[in-house]
Amino acid sequence: MPEPAPPRRLILDALGEIRLTHPMSLIDDVLDSGTNSVAVTLTDPKVYGEAAFTAALADLAAYDHHVTSHADRLAKALTVGDIDAARADNRLALVYQLQNSTPVQKDLDRVDLLYGLGVRSIQLTYNYQNYVGAGCRERRDAGLTVFGLELIERMNAVGMLVDTSHAGMQTMADTIAHSRRPTIVSHTCCEQVHSHVRNTTDENLKALADSGGVVGICQIRNFVTAKTRDNLEHYFDHIDHAVRVAGVEHVCIGSDRDHRVIPDTQDEIDLLIAEEGAQFSPDQWPLYITELNGPRRMEVVHDGIVRRGYAAADVDRLLGGNLRRLYREVLG
């Protein structure tokens, strides 16, 4: 009899895009690549005011319906046990996340409501100032507000993961220091490797690790490198640097990427201009690294980490083990 196949690695994406418009054939490719779970963003983070809360409720209902309609391939994950069960059934577990705290407005009871509906992580800021603190693109970063401190305390109490991606560095530092539970920077790169407003300083990477948190290294090309072609190895430079600074137990993958193949076309550029407005300009194109442009990109990430000489146990940590540990500590 042939030898049984070895168990597949646990592969978790701390922040990706599984859109409601994705065909199930794409989900099949994601699953076949070994990816077990993706944290998905509900609601455009650029929506502000009460409209953000309305949009969040609508997106929650839409994703719930989508998951139920495709229960043979998708699962809603509230706990690590749900991720494990989905993995055993070869289904893709979706962890619901908000990339801005604006749906909460200044009503802390909404944290409990959103948690009850399945939201398991909230990113505090998205680029600019809100009720909680300063985003990374603000002219001045005064750190967390009083309400920001209160929001973190409520999220800690219910067991919701605090995310500081897109935050200003002082806001991030304040959050790490204040949170009673470990936090995440789900999708960023290393400022020391490539200077960009969205990237994280070594000081905050160290503080994150000291508090038990995890950083997800993202795959948006202009966060990684100024080179538009032949740039894959620069991505692994960020992983290596994060490991040196934070330790291999505190780094994961947070792709921040659509799982489809993004075409290199003017239509795609025009779509981004329409969606992102002033936050995107054509000179930032392409936003993807060619080898990571598609649903099987975690295979490329795996092979690149192995090529960098990481031991098998550390490969497992980077691809999913560290994020699973964090989920277990915060989500249960």
Side-chain angles (χ1 to χ4, degrees):
M1 294 180 61
E3 290 291 324
R8 301 185 72 173
R9 295 183 186 276
L10 175 70
I11 299 178
L12 310 180
D13 188 343
L15 193 286
E17 293 182 11
I18 299 295
R19 299 177 184 266
L20 301 178
T21 54
H22 284 163
M24 286 301 108
S25 59
L26 187 143
I27 302 302
D28 289 340
D29 281 343
V30 172
L31 286 166
D32 193 54
S33 76
T35 301
N36 308 119
S37 175
V38 179
V40 296
T41 300
L42 309 182
T43 308
D44 181 349
K46 298 182 295 299
V47 176
Y48 281 81
E50 192 62 19
F53 182 60
T54 302
L57 296 181
D59 277 4
L60 274 160
Y63 267 87
D64 279 352
H65 177 74
H66 187 66
V67 169
T68 300
S69 299
H70 301 285
D72 58 329
R73 291 180 174 91
L74 301 174
K76 180 178 178 178
L78 304 179
T79 66
V80 164
D82 294 331
I83 294 174
D84 293 344
R87 182 187 184 205
D89 294 337
N90 196 34
R91 293 182 295 156
L92 185 66
L94 304 185
V95 179
Y96 291 179
Q97 188 213 34
L98 300 177
Q99 267 204 76
N100 202 337
S101 61
T102 49
V104 175
Q105 292 295 287
K106 296 194 79 173
D107 183 353
L108 290 175
D109 288 341
R110 287 185 176 179
V111 174
D112 301 71
L113 187 152
L114 290 166
Y115 181 87
L117 293 173
V119 174
R120 286 299 178 265
S121 180
I122 295 179
Q123 185 176 291
L124 298 183
T125 66
Y126 185 82
N127 293 342
Y128 299 105
Q129 184 76 35
N130 61 17
Y131 289 132
V132 169
C136 62
R137 294 186 181 275
E138 278 296 339
R139 292 178 62 241
R140 297 181 180 87
D141 179 7
L144 284 175
T145 64
V146 172
F147 179 73
L149 299 174
E150 294 170 351
L151 176 63
I152 291 169
E153 290 170 2
R154 182 64 68 91
M155 291 175 66
N156 285 168
V158 301
M160 192 181 286
L161 182 60
V162 177
D163 189 349
T164 56
S165 302
H166 290 261
M169 288 301 101
Q170 186 59 53
T171 299
M172 184 184 292
D174 287 352
T175 300
I176 293 167
H178 185 71
S179 180
R180 292 181 291 102
R181 295 176 182 257
T183 62
I184 191 170
V185 189
S186 66
H187 54 297
T188 187
C189 286
C190 303
E191 172 68 14
Q192 189 66 31
V193 176
H194 178 65
S195 184
H196 191 281
V197 69
R198 276 280 287 106
N199 291 347
T200 301
T201 61
D202 283 2
E203 182 179 15
N204 276 345
L205 289 175
K206 291 174 183 174
L208 183 74
D210 289 344
S211 67
V214 173
V215 58
I217 303 302
C218 85
Q219 298 164 7
I220 299 295
R221 193 275 310 166
N222 54 325
F223 301 170
V224 175
T225 177
K227 288 186 66 178
T228 57
R229 298 286 185 267
D230 300 320
N231 48 21
L232 176 63
E233 290 307 311
H234 291 275
Y235 178 67
F236 298 109
D237 291 343
H238 285 271
I239 292 175
D240 284 348
H241 183 82
V243 167
R244 284 195 296 271
V245 173
V248 73
E249 300 88 357
H250 300 282
V251 181
C252 70
I253 308 301
S255 69
D256 195 20
R257 279 290 320 283
D258 196 321
H259 283 256
R260 66 191 169 99
V261 176
I262 297 175
D264 188 5
T265 64
Q266 186 60 46
D267 285 347
E268 194 69 28
I269 295 173
D270 291 343
L271 179 63
L272 276 165
I273 292 171
E275 288 183 349
E276 299 296 328
Q279 294 189 55
F280 172 78
S281 62
D283 62 4
Q284 296 171 331
W285 188 260
L287 294 184
Y288 56 79
I289 294 171
T290 299
E291 294 87 345
L292 302 177
N293 186 26
R296 306 189 70 97
R297 62 175 177 262
M298 290 299 246
E299 293 174 328
V300 178
V301 174
H302 167 271
D303 292 347
I305 293 172
V306 170
R307 189 168 61 248
R308 288 292 174 113
Y310 288 91
D314 289 338
V315 174
D316 289 342
R317 290 186 179 97
L318 293 170
L319 290 176
N322 292 333
L323 185 55
R324 186 184 185 280
R325 187 269 304 166
L326 180 66
Y327 282 168
R328 172 66 77 188
E329 290 186 21
V330 178
L331 308 184

